[in-house]
Amino acid sequence: MDLKTDKRDDVVVLAISGSLDALSAPELADTISAQLGAGSVKLVADLAQLDYTSSAGLRVLLNGVKAARQKGGDLRLAAVQPNVKKVLDLSGFMSIMKSFPDVAAAVASYA
Amino acid sequence: MANQQTRVALVIGSGGVKCAAALGLYKALKREGIEIGMMVGAGVGVIYAALLALGLAPEQMADMGAQLWSHALTAKHKRRALWQILLPNVFGFDENFGTVDDTLLWERLRAAYGDAKIENTTIPLYIAATDFHNGEQVVLTQGNIVDAVRASLAIPYIFQAHRVDGRLLVDGSLSDPLPIGVAIKENANVILTLGFESPYQGKINALMRYSFQVSSVMSNNLLKANYAFHALAHHGEILPIRPQFQQHVGLFDTDKIPAIIAAGERAMEEQMPYLNKVLALAQ
């Protein structure tokens, strides 16, 4: 997994690429935790380049969205690719997380 | 009272006339000065979710609910439906199948909601239906309340599906009998839920009863699975409100609405001390 962080006004975009699994999920968990700890509670997960997510990845996303909402923010999804969307649908995540076709729309949704 | 950061949602799922208990919940909440920040409905629950969202007086809502949902709705059967079952190729069996004539349902929905729009309700309203082609939950947040409620009342085998914005929609309970996920997604902190398991058939002596039994088994297991997931996924608190009825309540027992409302009010009052603590913590 490769993880890049970009700030757009008060929204932090986490671009996650490759595979989000038990080996890579801790890095994303740490990054989300650090952002929330620093007061950045409006998060966007850019999944345009994410090919795969396992249950470990799902747990990190779930913990992330819960923690962000507890702080008055949110973790929103952008550009979810079909393979990953199937997993998110199957696990019920699409029913509780806001998803947008691209990063610009996800960032704009916080306005 | 909850502050601006605390959004209280009321989610009303399936349950026939038992959903009228929502009016009792509302009365108890109003007495405590607790405002509902969003209404979510699916199945028959949409009838009361929509009435509450319009901000009508409780007595008026009770009357309208009783007038809207009664046994007369299913009295007129479509003769063609039987032939569609027996000779599908001759009589054209398709996705618009339903055994009951929905003319009276439409009349009552129009009388109750008129031209009211979802986006103009006093309390934000979310109506959950199901896309009949792919099973996805469809959350309607704008357009005519009449169309949205009709879609979510498209109970399989009984009322035909209804097309909204190009999508053929059926009963919201098919994708989620208690759509808590909608409230989670819309950032509600405290979610009050009112939903009932689908009744099982006392006697399975006809094809329709057999079908309803299968539906109930699947629907109730879906309810449990979704509830478990939402309980784990929510960042705040979900409070199931469980009215206890003194006697059996059938799908259309509108004469029992006063007792159902009273049961809802009692159930909410029992949870009130805890709810007040939760809201105080959230401030």
Side-chain angles (χ1 to χ4, degrees):
Chain A
M1 181 194 76
D2 187 40
L3 179 61
K4 290 191 175 72
T5 305
D6 178 32
K7 192 151 189 175
R8 304 191 188 183
D9 295 326
D10 59 345
V11 180
V12 171
V13 178
L14 307 164
I16 310 161
S17 56
S19 178
L20 182 58
D21 52 30
L23 300 175
S24 56
E27 184 188 346
L28 177 61
D30 290 346
T31 302
I32 291 173
S33 180
Q35 290 295 338
L36 295 176
S40 298
V41 297
K42 296 176 181 175
L43 308 176
V44 169
D46 175 5
L47 306 186
Q49 302 299 322
L50 185 70
D51 305 318
Y52 172 81
T53 182
S54 70
S55 62
L58 293 176
R59 278 195 294 277
V60 171
L61 290 175
L62 184 58
N63 289 335
V65 71
K66 286 170 74 173
R69 284 172 177 167
Q70 274 167 344
K71 290 177 180 290
D74 202 1
L75 169 60
R76 297 177 183 174
L77 306 174
V80 184
Q81 298 304 298
N83 278 347
V84 173
K85 186 175 180 294
K86 276 183 192 167
V87 178
L88 294 174
D89 271 330
L90 186 66
S91 53
F93 278 44
M94 296 304 279
S95 73
I96 61 155
M97 294 184 78
K98 291 192 174 179
S99 179
F100 299 87
D102 52 46
V103 171
V107 171
S109 72
Y110 281 111
Chain B
M1 185 185 292
N3 66 8
Q4 282 188 323
Q5 295 299 314
T6 308
R7 289 191 81 190
V8 179
L10 176 55
V11 179
I12 313 171
S14 53
V17 77
K18 289 178 187 170
C19 295
L23 303 183
L25 268 68
Y26 176 74
K27 280 169 77 175
L29 291 168
K30 201 167 183 189
R31 208 163 39 237
E32 284 286 314
I34 296 169
E35 288 181 16
I36 299 172
M38 72 175 82
M39 297 294 319
V40 183
V44 178
V46 299
I47 289 175
Y48 291 96
L51 290 174
L52 285 162
L54 286 169
L56 305 174
E59 297 73 23
Q60 192 183 358
M61 287 189 275
D63 288 344
M64 289 171 81
Q67 286 165 17
L68 218 165
W69 187 255
S70 72
H71 204 277
L73 287 179
T74 59
K76 192 175 176 188
H77 289 261
K78 288 180 180 172
R79 274 191 194 166
R80 186 164 175 264
L82 180 63
W83 291 110
Q84 284 176 300
I85 294 169
L86 295 173
L87 298 166
N89 292 331
V90 178
F91 287 89
F93 194 106
D94 61 16
E95 60 197 11
N96 295 308
F97 176 77
T99 55
V100 171
D101 186 322
D102 63 354
T103 307
L104 183 60
L105 176 60
W106 274 113
E107 283 173 12
R108 290 183 174 184
L109 289 176
R110 290 192 183 105
Y113 304 112
D115 297 327
K117 304 273 188 194
I118 301 173
E119 59 269 35
N120 295 335
T121 51
T122 306
I123 301 171
L125 174 65
Y126 300 83
I127 293 179
T130 304
D131 187 317
F132 194 44
H133 287 139
N134 60 22
E136 280 181 9
Q137 182 182 67
V138 177
V139 182
L140 299 165
T141 57
Q142 55 185 6
N144 290 324
I145 290 179
V146 165
D147 281 309
V149 173
R150 173 63 186 82
S152 199
L153 287 177
I155 302 167
Y157 311 114
I158 300 178
F159 295 121
Q160 72 173 70
H162 180 53
R163 198 170 288 278
V164 178
D165 295 333
R167 301 180 82 167
L168 192 67
L169 303 180
V170 288
D171 188 350
S173 306
L174 281 161
S175 50
D176 192 346
L178 190 58
I180 299 170
V182 178
I184 295 176
K185 201 174 194 172
E186 294 301 327
N187 241 336
N189 304 72
V190 179
I191 302 172
L192 307 173
T193 69
L194 180 72
F196 302 90
E197 291 189 21
S198 214
Y200 293 113
Q201 302 296 310
K203 209 173 186 181
I204 301 170
N205 55 0
L207 180 63
M208 286 299 270
R209 283 181 176 271
Y210 185 92
S211 297
F212 286 137
Q213 182 72 359
V214 172
S215 293
S216 292
V217 169
M218 295 176 77
S219 164
N220 291 339
N221 282 308
L222 178 64
L223 174 68
K224 290 171 194 168
N226 280 0
Y227 188 85
F229 170 65
H230 291 141
L232 293 173
H234 186 37
H235 64 282
E237 183 65 304
I238 300 171
L239 273 78
I241 310 300
R242 307 282 297 175
Q244 300 298 317
F245 303 112
Q246 309 295 328
Q247 51 187 316
H248 172 76
V249 179
L251 194 62
F252 292 107
D253 286 347
T254 45
D255 58 313
K256 293 175 182 165
I257 282 182
I260 293 166
I261 294 173
E265 196 171 353
R266 278 196 305 274
M268 190 65 251
E269 280 168 352
E270 283 169 16
Q271 292 289 330
M272 202 62 82
Y274 177 63
L275 176 60
N276 277 320
K277 283 181 191 170
V278 169
L279 294 176
L281 273 175
Q283 274 186 324

